Amino acid sequence: MTTASRRVGAIFTPDRPPEDFRQAVHLAESAGMDELWVWEDCFRESAFAAATAALAWSERIQVGIGIAPMPLRNVALTAMEIATIERMFPGRLLPGLGHGVLSWMGQVGARVASPLTLMREYIPALRALLAGEEVSTSGRYVNLDRVKLDWPPSVAPLVYAAGEGPKTLTLTGEVADGTVLTGGTTPEGVAAASTRIASGRASAGRTGPHANVVFVPIAVGADASARAERHLERWKRPGEYDRIAAGSLTEVVARLEEFYDAGAAAVLLQPLEDDLSQDEFFAVAAEVAARLR
């Protein structure tokens, strides 16, 4: 049985057009997913617009943003977005923020010299605003003068931060309520990340739960190895099958168990690019989720 500390979800990747999203939401909910996550890759689809639509189109499923780039938005605007959604759909939004792809941030004139400094300033300010506090701060990137939300959520949602490098992972433990680990992270990578995150939490005196979520590309079926290899070649990681769960249904489920054992609270199933239709992918995802439970 899936619990709050062991969740299974799926990702709607933005290589699919926005008009496909409504079907994905219905398929995810009917497939029994706990969560459906969206990405905000430049220059494709808006995370907050998509999340709001998904919550309106569904009844039960939680919707995650993994992630929205911090450099693109003033922290007060992000707080307003999250608070508005949370008040309309209490307890169902899982907001995540991250550095963003640096080259994309450069394209729009939003690249910062120190992404770590931005995260260190941004996430605490965001969490304070969502908690209904009045925030004044003067930092390198985040500057607020007596900012307070008129409509804060009655219960502030957990704020996730994305991490990949060791310094960022440690920082997510210090400032965030959960960490988003990128697709292609191995079970060994999850274990190492969990250690760094725990170290960051300890150094900041943080207590309570901290949920690590990881995107895992999956390929199920007789041709799974060939499909997985094509995906890995696109990543320029040929032969690195530990970055993906591929094989029979039993083999894939066993592989996903390794991610939970390594410290993931949620495993988010990621479709391979140009692979299955949405119907086919969520049919497989439903079988995987049923086995994991």
Side-chain angles (χ1 to χ4, degrees), residues 228-240 243:
E229 183 58 34
R230 287 195 296 271
H231 184 81
L232 291 168
E233 287 173 356
R234 285 175 176 161
W235 275 0
K236 304 188 186 306
R237 300 278 191 176
E240 297 185 19
R243 298 181 181 277

Side-chain angles (χ1 to χ4, degrees), residues 40 42 69-74 77 104-105 108 110:
E40 191 167 64
C42 295
M70 290 179 292
L72 281 178
R73 289 184 182 82
N74 182 283
L77 176 60
W104 292 342
M105 298 303 100
V108 298

Side-chain angles (χ1 to χ4, degrees), residues 31-290:
M33 297 290 101
D34 298 310
E35 301 164 12
L36 180 66
W37 286 62
V38 295
W39 292 345
E40 191 167 64
D41 282 359
C42 295
F43 300 95
R44 291 177 169 178
E45 295 155 10
S46 162
F48 290 104
T52 305
L55 291 164
W57 291 332
S58 59
E59 298 293 333
R60 172 194 57 81
I61 200 166
Q62 290 187 293
V63 178
I65 295 173
I67 50 84
M70 290 179 292
L72 281 178
R73 289 184 182 82
N74 182 283
V75 67
L77 176 60
T78 301
M80 290 164 60
E81 296 268 27
I82 294 172
T84 300
I85 298 170
E86 176 63 26
R87 287 184 71 105
M88 291 192 294
F89 305 99
R92 294 177 59 204
L93 180 67
L94 304 170
L97 288 302
H99 299 319
V101 176
L102 298 186
S103 60
W104 292 342
M105 298 303 100
Q107 280 183 270
V108 298
R111 182 167 179 166
V112 297
S114 177
L116 281 171
T117 300
L118 175 60
M119 180 177 285
R120 189 178 298 280
E121 296 176 356
Y122 195 108
I123 299 297
L126 175 62
R127 292 177 64 241
L129 288 168
L130 292 173
E133 299 175 18
E134 180 179 278
V135 181
S136 293
T137 183
S138 179
R140 183 174 179 182
Y141 300 113
V142 176
N143 293 278
L144 301 173
D145 180 14
R146 295 166 297 159
V147 176
K148 188 177 188 294
L149 296 178
D150 283 4
W151 297 104
S154 56
V155 178
L158 301 181
V159 174
Y160 289 77
E164 186 171 7
K167 291 182 180 179
T168 303
L169 287 167
T170 302
L171 182 57
T172 67
E174 292 178 26
V175 301
D177 303 307
T179 300
V180 178
L181 303 174
T182 60
T185 302
T186 65
E188 293 76 15
V190 172
S194 298
T195 298
R196 291 190 179 277
I197 293 162
S199 173
R201 288 181 62 73
S203 67
R206 301 287 303 280
T207 58
H210 183 102
N212 301 327
V213 304
V214 60
F215 300 113
V216 183
I218 64 167
V220 179
D223 59 346
S225 294
R227 290 158 53 208
E229 183 58 34
R230 287 195 296 271
H231 184 81
L232 291 168
E233 287 173 356
R234 285 175 176 161
W235 275 0
K236 304 188 186 306
R237 300 278 191 176
E240 297 185 19
Y241 289 102
D242 55 346
R243 298 181 181 277
I244 197 167
S248 67
L249 181 61
T250 298
E251 290 170 329
V252 167
V253 170
R255 184 64 173 164
L256 295 174
E257 294 279 4
E258 296 179 23
F259 289 90
Y260 290 115
D261 293 341
V267 169
L268 308 171
L269 310 179
Q270 179 178 330
L272 306 186
E273 190 173 350
D274 298 327
D275 187 45
L276 303 178
S277 69
Q278 287 199 137
D279 297 87
E280 292 168 329
F281 170 73
F282 280 105
V284 170
E287 292 186 86
V288 171

